[in-house]
Amino acid sequence: MYKQKESQMRFNRIFTLMKKFKTKRLNAVLLFCMLVLFALQIVHFYKNDFGDKEISAKVLRVIDGDTIEFLNNQENKIYKLRLFGIDAPESKQSYGKESKEYLEHLIQKREVKILVKNKDKYQRLVGIIFLEDKDINKELVRVGLAHSYKDFSLKYLSSEHYAKTNKLGLWQQENVILPKDFRKKAKQ
């Protein structure tokens, strides 16, 4: 929000300067500069520090079915990672415990590759975990222990369709509640 206000203030200052100068050539130059600055701010606003960066990591702890804590082997630093494109059941929700346990079974204390996509609003990294070239995010959805998180990506939609069709994991239930709906209801 602060960055947007700062951008608007810069825009207003440049526009005011343009009004003061009478020559068309100078106005054209200033307009061009303003557009370049605006474009650079947009790029900076949407840019993150990682941007599809591959990390070699050791999984230290599985927090829940879609969040882990890992050691970045290159930096020797600990991070939290939210799994990209999926939404696992909450721990108090049906299949929440099973989702966490399955993820622990797959990757706990293992060396993995993580493709970091970005950061979320809680400043956790968001990415895809690979274990020996196997997409772990996809695996969780495919076995019915996580949903494809359509709000952020359609990448795992076919895996969710497979799990639904074959009534795997949480898709064995009559009334499946999306984790985001469960969280909303819990806040009320």
Side-chain angles (χ1 to χ4, degrees), residues 84-141:
F84 172 80
I86 74 169
D87 199 10
E90 296 298 317
S91 56
K92 293 182 179 179
Q93 194 176 1
S94 296
Y95 287 90
K97 182 180 175 187
E98 291 86 345
S99 180
K100 178 184 178 185
E101 288 173 354
Y102 187 67
L103 187 56
E104 284 174 334
H105 168 74
L106 291 174
I107 63 171
Q108 183 81 23
K109 307 290 184 209
R110 309 252 335 244
E111 295 290 329
V112 297
K113 296 283 183 201
I114 298 173
L115 181 64
V116 178
K117 306 293 275 176
N118 52 38
K119 286 185 179 179
D120 68 8
K121 63 183 179 182
Y122 304 108
Q123 295 305 303
R124 297 176 296 190
L125 300 179
V126 178
I128 302 170
I129 300 174
F130 292 94
L131 178 66
E132 300 167 6
D133 297 325
K134 184 177 192 172
D135 182 337
I136 298 302
N137 302 29
K138 181 179 181 177
E139 174 69 12
L140 285 164
V141 175

Side-chain angles (χ1 to χ4, degrees), residues 20-98:
K20 289 181 181 178
F21 295 104
K22 301 289 183 193
T23 66
K24 290 181 182 180
R25 179 177 277 167
L26 193 50
N27 280 347
V29 169
L30 286 172
L31 180 61
F32 176 76
C33 291
M34 180 179 69
L35 290 173
V36 168
L37 285 172
F38 186 71
L40 288 172
Q41 285 183 333
I42 288 173
V43 168
H44 178 72
F45 183 77
Y46 287 103
K47 183 182 166 220
N48 59 55
D49 295 337
F50 290 91
D52 283 5
K53 180 179 178 183
E54 189 174 289
I55 294 175
S56 173
K58 180 170 184 172
V59 177
L60 301 176
R61 176 171 74 108
V62 173
I63 296 168
D64 59 29
D66 55 29
T67 310
I68 68 163
E69 193 172 72
F70 72 91
L71 174 69
N72 179 331
N73 292 335
Q74 289 96 331
E75 298 176 359
N76 200 29
K77 192 172 175 183
I78 296 173
Y79 290 95
K80 280 188 181 174
L81 178 81
R82 172 73 163 80
L83 277 62
F84 172 80
I86 74 169
D87 199 10
E90 296 298 317
S91 56
K92 293 182 179 179
Q93 194 176 1
S94 296
Y95 287 90
K97 182 180 175 187
E98 291 86 345

Side-chain angles (χ1 to χ4, degrees), residues 8 17-18 22 57 60 62 79 108 110 156 161 165 171:
Q8 185 63 39
L17 281 173
M18 282 178 56
K22 301 289 183 193
L60 301 176
V62 173
Y79 290 95
Q108 183 81 23
R110 309 252 335 244
Y156 301 113
H161 178 72
T165 303
W171 299 108

